[in-house]
């Protein structure tokens, strides 16, 4: 009897333990949510295919790492083949579907897209149309459910909230970028590139200056000198690698040779999705009788000889033939200089994407905006897909050049006119805070609420108490650039981009520097946590460069301009500020946030 009693008692303990464990597990769950971490303990595993690409495996490791940083819970990775069929733990499956048949049937446009779905109450699937889409789906998951933000480059720029529990709402998500290609140039160092990738930067279309590589003199100059331009009555044979010349687009056999070269390129690089037909930099268009006849001596809107009909006629013919062998390829080019205007007699092949080059911050001026929109609409009538090439420089400007709301306005407008690819010369100064963060968010979806994005960035960066002061700081400079600077002589440039190598815009600065210092000091004193204080300090350090630059610029060695800035007429202060800006850019060189990709002292500009 004793043994039977012991057996029954033991069974009661086991049964009781089972019900308690089941009840506890059930308590973690919610009818509309899946809990993957509870009480800092993992409730899930991450599963990837055995043959998953390195990019997918890296994204899966990122998911595990950030969950661990947030919760201390180690959500482990497993290969699909290691899973046991009966295992009841929650599964986060990361996969690339390779299902390219999206609504548009257009792989290039949709390949960064992803979905987050919930087949049942114990399964989460993050699935990309491509490996890039899978990676971006992981970042969406981390932002949406873990609260991660990549505010600025490097560890200091990461916002990682502390959680004891992570519950995932069971609502299917499907997302793809509004602009299929999104690329910023001038980033410096691996931390900046990783930051951009976390914020879903991915350039997909080649379009830069490339005709010197398509028709290299070393290959063609002896047997086909006619491929090179006739300039001032003489055949010009350029040196290998040189620019400032264009092919003679009317030369016999130039289309056939161009097609052969491009097909050879794709045969050697089958994974490449695009080829650049971008004209060489610096002009040098052919002046033979046929080329002259097709330009009619007319000038385009920026005063250059209009070569658009001739050039795009050549490009159409080349693309038509290449697509016979490689039907899924794309071709980017520059709507630039002599080919800046849309062709008047032909429409572009739908696989050609012309990138319109322009500094669209100039659209804060109504006349420039009207002119720019008219040109965009003219291009939209001639090209099914457009690209925009922008100049959103941070360095070497000497004050924060921010225009968040105007940027959102023109992104929305561009999308509505058929713009699908974005490129910008950025060369960031992270003293501009959320500028590039906002740019990449809007390039994914230009209809997001800019003010919500900004408020979220400010709060995550320096905390609730300090955020209003940081918001006021950047609002001050947005007002300066969008309301005051358009009134300056510096702004009236007729060029395609504003002259970042001249600082005439600083002539209008009055009390902005003093107000900025006051606001940022309040940011630093109001920030609470060590991370918030550190980010506040970094923004203030970036401001110190702005301050030193403006104070030394406005005096220009005369010891007279400091007075209107309420700093007194002090020649020693001027000299200290001049020295300080040199010292700061050198000091910033090894910091992933403070570094200047375009250092004024290296460029030989802005050294008053």
């Amino acid at each position: 009897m004793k043994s039977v009693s012991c057996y029954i008692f033991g069974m009661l303990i086991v049964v009781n333990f089972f019900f308690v464990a089941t009840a506890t597990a059930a308590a973690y769950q919610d009818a509309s949510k899946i809990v993957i971490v509870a009480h800092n303990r993992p409730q899930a595993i991450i599963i990837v295919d055995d043959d998953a690409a390195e990019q997918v495996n890296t994204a899966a490791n990122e998911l595990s790492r950030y969950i661990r940083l947030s919760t201390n819970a180690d959500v482990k990775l497993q290969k699909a083949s290691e899973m046991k069929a009966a295992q009841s733990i929650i599964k986060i499956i990361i996969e690339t579907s390779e299902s390219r048949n999206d609504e548009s049937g257009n792989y290039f446009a949709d390949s960064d897209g992803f979905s987050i779905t919930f087949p049942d109450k114990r399964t989460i699937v993050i699935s990309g149309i491509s490996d890039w889409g899978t990676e971006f789906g992981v970042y969406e998951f981390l932002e949406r459910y873990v609260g991660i933000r990549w505010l600025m480059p490097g560890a200091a720029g990461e916002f990682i909230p502390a959680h004891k529990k992570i519950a995932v709402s069971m609502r299917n998500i499907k997302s793809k970028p509004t602009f299929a290609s999104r690329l910023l140039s001038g980033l410096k160092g691996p931390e900046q590139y990783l930051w951009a990738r976390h914020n879903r930067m991915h350039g997909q279309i080649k379009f830069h200056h490339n005709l010197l590589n398509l028709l290299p003199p070393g290959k063609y100059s002896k047997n086909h000198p006619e491929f090179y331009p006739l300039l001032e009555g003489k055949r010009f044979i350029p040196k290998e690698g040189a620019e400032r010349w264009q092919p003679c687009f009317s030369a016999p056999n130039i289309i056939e040779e161009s097609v052969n070269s491009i097909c050879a390129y794709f045969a050697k690089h089958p994974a490449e999705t695009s080829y650049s037909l971008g004209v060489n930099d610096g002009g040098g268009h052919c002046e033979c009788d046929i080329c002259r006849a097709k330009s009619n001596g007319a000038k385009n809107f920026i005063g250059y000889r209009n070569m658009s009909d001739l050039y795009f006629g050549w490009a159409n013919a080349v693309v038509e033939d290449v697509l016979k062998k490689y039907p899924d390829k794309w071709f980017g080019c520059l709507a630039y200089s002599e080919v800046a205007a849309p062709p008047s007699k032909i429409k572009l092949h739908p696989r050609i994407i012309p990138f319109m080059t322009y500094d669209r911050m100039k659209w804060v001026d109504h006349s420039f905006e009207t002119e720019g929109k008219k040109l965009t609409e003219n291009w939209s009538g001639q090209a099914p897909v457009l690209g925009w090439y922008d100049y959103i420089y941070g360095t070497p400007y000497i004050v924060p050049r921010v225009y968040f709301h105007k940027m959102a306005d023109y992104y929305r407008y561009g999308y509505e006119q058929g713009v699908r690819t974005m490129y910008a010369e950025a060369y960031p100064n992270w003293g501009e805070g959320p500028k590039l963060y906002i740019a990449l968010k809007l390039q994914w979806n230009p209809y997001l609420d800019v003010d919500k994005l900004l408020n979220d960035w400010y709060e995550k960066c320096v905390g609730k108490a300090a955020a209003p002061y940081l918001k006021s700081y950047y609002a001050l400079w947005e007002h300066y650039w969008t309301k005051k600077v358009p009134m300056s002589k510096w702004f009236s440039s007729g060029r395609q981009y504003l002259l970042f190598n001249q600082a005439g815009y600083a002539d209008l600065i009055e009390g902005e520097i003093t107000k900025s210092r006051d606001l940022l000091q309040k940011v630093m004193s109001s920030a609470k946590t060590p991370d918030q204080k550190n980010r506040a300090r970094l923004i203030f350090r970036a401001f110190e460069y702005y301050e030193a630059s403006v104070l030394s610029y406005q005096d220009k060695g005369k010891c007279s301009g400091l007075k209107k800035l309420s700093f007194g007429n002090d020649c020693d202060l001027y000299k200290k500020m001049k020295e300080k800006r040199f010292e700061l850019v050198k000091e910033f060189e090894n910091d992933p946030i403070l570094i200047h990709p375009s250092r004024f002292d290296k460029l030989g500009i802005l050294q008053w």
Side-chain angles (χ1 to χ4, degrees):
M1 290 293 293
K2 184 175 181 181
S3 60
V4 173
S5 298
C6 289
Y7 173 77
I8 294 171
F9 180 72
M11 287 300 295
L12 288 172
I13 292 174
V14 171
V15 171
N16 185 59
F17 176 79
F18 171 78
F19 281 114
V20 169
T22 303
T24 303
Y28 292 157
Q29 301 301 327
D30 180 293
S32 62
K33 294 182 179 181
I34 298 177
V35 176
I36 62 173
V37 173
H39 300 302
N40 302 107
R41 294 184 178 182
Q43 306 296 307
I45 57 171
I46 298 168
I47 303 171
V48 293
D49 287 338
D50 291 45
D51 60 351
E54 181 181 353
Q55 184 173 4
V56 174
N57 280 301
T58 299
N61 277 289
E62 285 279 84
L63 179 59
S64 176
R65 184 171 73 88
Y66 279 105
I67 291 174
R68 184 169 60 253
L69 289 171
S70 175
T71 66
N72 290 321
D74 188 9
V75 178
K76 295 185 180 299
L77 271 66
Q78 283 192 9
K79 294 294 186 181
S81 63
E82 298 171 354
M83 284 296 301
K84 297 177 181 178
Q87 192 167 351
S88 60
I89 194 168
I90 292 164
K91 305 173 187 67
I92 305 173
I93 299 171
I94 300 178
E95 64 178 21
T96 299
S97 67
E98 297 184 355
S99 174
R100 301 182 180 185
N101 298 316
D102 202 70
E103 293 173 3
S104 67
N106 185 335
Y107 174 61
F108 155 68
D110 304 330
S111 62
D112 283 350
F114 59 84
S115 63
I116 302 174
T117 56
F118 306 87
D120 56 58
K121 292 183 178 181
R122 306 194 70 78
T123 308
I124 302 169
V125 180
I126 303 173
S127 180
I129 294 173
S130 69
D131 292 338
W132 281 96
T134 305
E135 180 179 345
F136 294 147
V138 168
Y139 300 155
E140 171 71 19
F141 187 95
L142 286 167
E143 286 186 313
R144 183 181 292 262
Y145 301 118
V146 187
I148 304 295
R149 297 290 186 275
W150 294 280
L151 305 169
M152 294 183 286
E158 293 183 334
F159 173 79
I160 305 174
H163 293 299
K164 292 183 179 180
K165 175 181 176 180
I166 296 176
V168 179
S169 298
M170 294 178 64
R171 183 171 61 86
N172 290 345
I173 295 165
K174 187 176 182 181
S175 182
K176 65 180 181 181
T178 298
F179 299 104
S181 182
R182 308 160 306 283
L183 186 61
L184 306 175
S185 71
L187 302 179
K188 191 80 169 180
E191 293 95 342
Q192 292 197 4
Y193 280 99
L194 182 58
W195 168 88
R197 194 157 173 159
H198 280 142
N199 285 294
R200 305 182 201 171
M201 183 181 84
H202 181 207
Q204 298 201 65
I205 294 295
K206 291 181 170 62
F207 62 89
H208 269 95
H209 310 295
N210 193 48
L211 297 187
L212 72 165
N213 299 313
L214 175 61
L215 298 163
K219 181 178 180 179
Y220 292 110
S221 60
K222 290 185 179 180
N223 295 329
H224 292 284
E226 70 277 10
F227 286 0
Y228 301 97
L230 198 68
L231 301 176
E232 297 181 352
K234 295 181 180 180
R235 185 69 60 187
F236 177 76
I237 306 298
K239 294 181 180 179
E240 192 73 17
E243 298 207 50
R244 297 187 177 279
W245 66 274
Q246 311 299 333
C248 175
F249 295 112
S250 61
N253 300 316
I254 195 168
I255 291 172
E256 292 81 358
E257 281 301 319
S258 300
V259 170
N260 290 339
S261 292
I262 296 170
C263 287
Y265 173 83
F266 283 132
K268 189 175 180 179
H269 305 92
E272 292 290 347
T273 58
S274 69
Y275 189 88
S276 172
L277 298 176
V279 294
N280 298 330
D281 202 7
H285 281 264
C286 183
E287 299 170 354
C288 73
D289 291 342
I290 298 176
C291 290
R292 280 184 176 276
K294 291 198 174 182
S295 68
N296 292 324
K299 292 186 176 181
N300 63 21
F301 67 98
I302 50 176
Y304 289 100
R305 185 160 60 107
N306 191 340
M307 305 298 293
S308 291
D309 280 306
L310 176 62
Y311 166 73
F312 287 109
W314 165 83
N316 273 358
V318 168
V319 168
E320 189 76 38
D321 280 354
V322 172
L323 290 174
K324 292 174 183 177
K325 189 170 184 179
Y326 295 100
D328 60 341
K329 305 302 183 183
W330 290 83
F331 302 84
C333 63
L334 288 158
Y336 168 83
S337 193
E338 287 89 346
V339 297
S344 59
K345 299 176 182 178
I346 60 172
K347 287 194 173 185
L348 268 65
H349 192 285
R351 287 276 169 161
I352 297 176
I353 303 176
F355 280 72
M356 301 173 63
T357 58
Y358 197 75
D359 188 336
R360 290 172 185 82
M361 199 213 83
K362 293 176 70 172
W363 285 12
V364 299
D365 180 281
H366 181 67
S367 61
F368 285 131
E369 183 176 35
T370 300
E371 179 184 281
K373 286 185 173 181
K374 181 180 179 182
L375 178 63
T376 301
E377 288 157 21
N378 288 341
W379 265 111
S380 182
Q382 298 297 96
V385 183
L386 292 178
W388 266 1
Y389 187 121
D390 209 349
Y391 301 85
I392 61 175
Y393 282 89
T395 56
Y397 281 94
I398 65 169
V399 292
R401 188 171 76 119
V402 295
Y403 44 100
F404 311 116
H405 295 84
K406 177 52 68 175
M407 186 180 284
D409 287 345
Y410 70 67
Y411 282 164
R412 286 192 291 269
Y413 168 80
Y415 172 72
E416 289 158 8
Q417 294 300 317
V419 177
R420 293 296 181 269
T421 61
M422 288 284 183
Y423 174 88
E425 295 186 30
Y427 296 89
N429 184 327
W430 295 94
E432 294 180 328
K435 178 178 173 179
L436 297 187
Y437 176 91
I438 295 295
L440 288 176
K441 291 294 183 189
L442 292 173
Q443 287 180 26
W444 188 274
N445 179 2
Y447 296 97
L448 293 174
D449 187 315
V450 178
D451 290 307
K452 285 185 178 179
L453 288 172
L454 287 169
N455 289 337
D456 181 70
W457 194 94
Y458 297 139
E459 186 174 315
K460 299 294 192 298
C461 185
V462 295
K464 287 185 178 181
Y469 302 114
L470 192 59
K471 179 179 180 177
S472 295
Y473 170 70
Y474 286 113
L476 180 154
W477 287 108
E478 183 170 17
H479 179 270
Y480 175 78
W481 280 102
T482 59
K483 302 300 181 185
K484 291 183 72 171
V485 171
M487 302 294 104
S488 69
K489 293 180 180 179
W490 172 86
F491 189 83
S492 62
S493 168
R495 299 172 65 93
Q496 288 176 280
Y497 57 87
L498 293 165
L499 293 175
F500 54 80
N501 61 343
Q502 298 178 16
Y505 52 85
D507 289 332
L508 299 180
I509 293 175
E510 296 175 312
E512 283 85 359
I513 293 296
T514 304
K515 290 176 183 176
S516 292
R517 172 173 274 273
D518 178 60
L519 285 168
L520 290 183
Q521 285 176 332
K522 289 176 179 176
V523 170
M524 290 192 293
S525 64
S526 301
K528 305 297 183 186
T529 70
D531 285 344
Q532 292 168 4
K533 289 179 179 295
N534 186 38
R535 286 191 283 268
R537 181 191 64 82
L538 287 166
I539 292 171
F540 185 80
R541 292 292 285 156
F543 163 74
E544 287 187 295
Y545 168 78
Y546 295 141
E547 180 183 58
S549 297
V550 170
L551 296 185
S552 58
Y553 166 78
Q554 291 212 337
D555 189 85
K556 297 178 185 175
K558 300 175 184 177
C559 300
S560 60
L562 302 179
K563 188 173 182 180
K564 67 179 178 180
L565 292 167
S566 303
F567 278 84
N569 190 2
D570 186 342
C571 283
D572 288 336
L573 178 60
Y574 158 73
K575 292 175 182 177
K576 288 177 182 177
M577 292 296 105
K578 183 176 181 181
E579 292 169 0
K580 184 176 181 179
R581 67 194 299 255
F582 280 88
E583 292 168 358
L584 285 174
V585 292
K586 292 177 183 177
E587 179 186 329
F588 294 166
E589 189 65 21
N590 296 316
D591 189 294
I593 291 175
L594 296 175
I595 188 172
H596 283 208
S598 291
R599 278 176 52 168
F600 76 93
D601 58 331
K602 297 289 187 182
L603 294 172
I605 60 175
L606 305 177
Q607 298 191 48
W608 33 86

